[in-house]
């Protein structure tokens, strides 16, 4: 219970600090928001009236208390430009982003574990090939790969759509086609990083005395691998969690290139327009997702390695 309480406490601290700092940074510089919305030809009276309507003419601490009060009721405000409720906007956008990010993490994790374990067990040419793949995966910029996929597979060969997102409920086949290229663009770097970590962790465990003991007792190879994987999974899961956070950040450029209506596109449009409520909503959702993922991974590591719960 102490292990669980510490992890939940750490997560709540992040949820408290990150949105608060974001609020101070965003609303502290929102004095010119009314002019940006109305344009350069707006009169001082119009700007003052718009500032009062947005509530940015009040002291910052009053705005913060007001925002927290609304947040406690589940109200995230409205977009300053479209008047759309931010809660419904980020909820619908989060579905698109999580579809791409979770799909990328699932596929890349399966591939990375298969490659990493095989390379660690077989070594030789496969091991060298994996290390070369890892270097290439790290070196290739994700946005460049995304542009290459759009140019080659979508525009030239016309195998998959270049832009847009189709909901699963509308057409499962078109849904899969619409997320395939974004997932591939995000997963290459993830496979490289996680596969390298899995390979290193498996090799470390294989060199431990208890593995030699298991083999000396005549345990089947597959059962030895199961024991090895259980002990090697903890560091690999840590890398998967970090990769998830990196992939969530990478979704910003992928959504921009593939015109996916996700959180990344909402964040960039909000930043360009100065739509502070939308940016705050995206930050809140992104922070919550990151905290939940880290909590789940910490609990999984605690289950796989009881020593972690005692540290």
């Amino acid at each position: 219970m102490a292990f669980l309480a510490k992890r939940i406490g750490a997560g709540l601290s992040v949820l408290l600090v990150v949105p608060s700092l974001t609020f101070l940074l965003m609303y502290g510089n929102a004095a010119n928001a009314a002019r940006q919305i109305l344009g350069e030809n707006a009169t001082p009276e119009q700007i003052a009236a718009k500032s009062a309507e947005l509530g940015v003419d009040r002291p910052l601490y009053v705005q913060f208390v007001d925002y927290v009060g609304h947040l406690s009721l589940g109200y995230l405000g409205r977009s300053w430009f479209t008047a759309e409720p931010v809660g419904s906007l980020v909820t619908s956008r989060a579905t698109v982003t999580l579809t791409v990010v979770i799909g990328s993490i699932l596929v890349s994790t399966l591939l990375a574990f298969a490659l990493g374990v095989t390379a660690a067990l077989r070594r030789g040419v496969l091991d060298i090939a994996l290390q070369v793949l890892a270097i290439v995966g790290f070196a290739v910029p994700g946005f460049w790969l995304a542009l290459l996929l759009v140019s080659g597979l979508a525009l030239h060969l016309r195998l998959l759509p270049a832009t847009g997102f189709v909901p699963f409920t509308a057409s499962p086949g078109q849904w899969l086609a619409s997320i395939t290229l974004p997932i591939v663009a995000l997963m290459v770097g993830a496979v490289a990083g996680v596969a390298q970590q899995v390979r290193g962790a498996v090799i470390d465990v294989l060199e431990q005395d208890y593995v030699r003991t298991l083999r000396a007792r005549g345990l089947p190879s597959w059962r030895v691998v199961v024991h090895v994987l259980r002990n090697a999974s903890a560091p690999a899961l840590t890398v998967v969690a970090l990769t998830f956070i990196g992939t969530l950040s990478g979704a910003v450029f992928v959504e921009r290139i593939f015109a996916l209506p996700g959180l990344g596109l909402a964040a960039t449009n909000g930043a360009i327009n100065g739509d502070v409520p939308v940016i705050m909503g995206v930050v809140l959702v992104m922070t919550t997702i990151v905290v939940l993922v880290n909590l789940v991974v910490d609990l999984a590591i605690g289950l796989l390695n009881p020593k972690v719960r005692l540290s």
Side-chain angles (χ1 to χ4, degrees):
M1 288 301 292
F3 172 77
L4 180 62
K6 284 182 182 177
R7 294 300 182 272
I8 292 176
L12 290 177
S13 300
V14 174
L15 275 177
L16 181 65
V17 171
V18 173
S20 298
L21 288 177
T22 307
F23 181 92
L24 295 177
L25 290 172
M26 298 306 301
Y27 278 89
N29 295 297
N32 294 323
R35 178 179 292 279
Q36 189 169 351
I37 293 171
L38 297 174
E40 293 297 326
N41 296 325
T43 64
E45 292 76 17
Q46 290 173 320
I47 293 173
K50 191 64 179 179
S51 295
E53 178 188 336
L54 299 177
V56 295
D57 59 339
R58 299 172 298 167
L60 192 58
Y61 73 92
V62 175
Q63 297 180 53
F64 183 72
V65 172
D66 190 41
Y67 188 84
V68 172
H70 286 150
L71 187 62
S72 64
L73 300 175
Y75 180 66
L76 300 179
R78 289 179 177 274
S79 166
W80 284 351
F81 287 84
T82 65
E84 182 180 359
V86 174
S88 60
L89 185 148
V90 294
T91 301
S92 61
R93 298 298 185 97
T95 304
V96 178
T97 299
L98 288 177
T99 299
V100 175
V101 172
I102 292 176
S104 170
I105 290 296
L106 286 177
V107 176
S108 60
T109 301
L110 290 174
L111 275 176
F113 267 80
L115 289 172
V117 171
T118 307
L121 294 175
R122 300 292 178 88
R123 309 299 290 268
V125 176
L126 185 60
D127 191 19
I128 296 172
L130 175 64
Q131 295 184 51
V132 173
L133 174 67
I135 294 172
V136 173
F138 281 126
V140 174
F143 70 90
W144 178 80
L145 179 62
L147 292 172
L148 198 67
L149 291 172
V150 170
S151 174
L153 298 182
L155 300 180
H156 183 65
L157 298 179
R158 298 184 181 279
L159 296 176
L160 293 164
T163 59
F165 176 81
V166 178
F168 180 82
T169 51
S171 170
Q174 293 182 15
W175 167 79
L176 183 61
S178 68
I179 63 173
T180 298
L181 291 184
I183 285 177
V184 173
L186 285 172
M187 64 176 276
V188 171
V191 170
V194 178
Q196 273 289 75
Q197 183 62 44
V198 171
R199 170 193 170 274
V202 170
I203 289 175
D204 288 342
V205 176
L206 284 172
E207 292 174 351
Q208 293 184 12
D209 291 338
Y210 83 92
V211 176
R212 284 191 284 270
T213 303
L214 291 176
R215 284 174 171 163
R217 292 175 57 187
L219 217 63
S221 297
W222 68 269
R223 290 192 62 183
V224 175
V225 171
V226 170
H227 284 282
V228 169
L229 273 180
R230 180 173 181 179
N231 288 286
S233 294
L237 281 177
T238 304
V239 176
V240 171
L242 294 174
T243 304
F244 183 93
I245 297 170
T247 305
L248 200 59
S249 304
V252 173
F253 73 79
V254 165
E255 289 174 5
R256 197 77 189 171
I257 292 173
F258 292 99
L260 299 176
L263 288 174
L265 195 60
T268 52
N269 288 339
I272 292 170
N273 296 327
D275 202 342
V276 176
V278 172
I279 297 173
M280 280 299 303
V282 172
V283 170
L284 274 170
V285 172
M286 288 262 194
T287 307
T288 304
I289 292 171
V290 170
V291 167
L292 288 176
V293 168
N294 278 325
L295 181 61
V296 170
V297 171
D298 284 343
L299 294 178
I301 292 174
L303 288 174
L304 290 169
N305 186 2
K307 292 179 182 177
V308 175
R309 300 199 296 268
L310 301 175
S311 62

